[in-house]
């Protein structure tokens, strides 16, 4: 990630309208800011959310609330709870998210 040409700024995430992204079950609400080539998001998954696709995009993801299950295409599963994070490169390992209880995340990609 090359962070260039972004002046100092602050973001009040509560002032950004969410966009809804349905999953196979449940939905994700994204509050998104774009900074050049870098996208930052607060993502809230509803209880019972299951992604409707395998994702190959790279992310740095930090769990703020709830519990997130991340399944890799090879069958491994990782569970994130508040204070935990994961990172994955573009096209490195396809992954998909789910949560039984809901989750709130900070994501940079």
């Amino acid at each position: 990630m090359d962070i260039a040409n972004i002046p100092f700024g602050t973001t009040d995430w509560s002032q950004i309208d969410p966009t809804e992204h349905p999953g196979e079950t449940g939905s994700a609400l994204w509050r998104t800011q774009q900074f050049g080539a870098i996208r930052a998001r607060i993502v809230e998954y509803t209880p019972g959310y299951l992604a409707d696709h395998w994702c190959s995009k790279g992310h740095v993801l930090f769990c703020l609330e709830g519990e997130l299950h991340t399944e890799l295409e090879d069958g491994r599963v990782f569970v994130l709870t508040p204070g935990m994070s994961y990172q994955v490169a573009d096209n490195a390992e396809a992954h998909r998210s789910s949560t039984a209880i809901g989750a709130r995340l900070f994501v940079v990609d």
Side-chain angles (χ1 to χ4, degrees), residues 10-88:
T10 62
T11 301
D12 181 349
W13 291 98
S14 69
Q15 298 301 306
I16 298 172
D17 291 330
T19 58
E20 185 172 3
H21 302 264
E24 188 173 303
T25 59
S27 63
L29 300 174
W30 295 9
R31 297 177 193 278
T32 306
Q33 287 283 78
Q34 194 73 39
F35 305 102
I38 298 169
R39 177 176 67 173
R41 298 176 285 157
I42 297 288
V43 176
E44 296 180 52
Y45 290 130
T46 62
Y49 176 81
L50 172 62
D52 64 352
H53 66 282
W54 289 96
C55 180
S56 295
K57 176 86 174 120
H59 315 283
V60 176
L61 183 150
F62 181 75
C63 183
L64 299 166
E65 297 173 8
E67 183 176 280
L68 180 72
H69 294 231
T70 300
E71 178 184 6
L72 302 186
E73 207 165 26
D74 67 11
R76 290 179 289 160
V77 176
F78 299 87
V79 178
L80 271 63
T81 55
M84 295 178 70
S85 65
Y86 78 67
Q87 55 287 325
V88 63

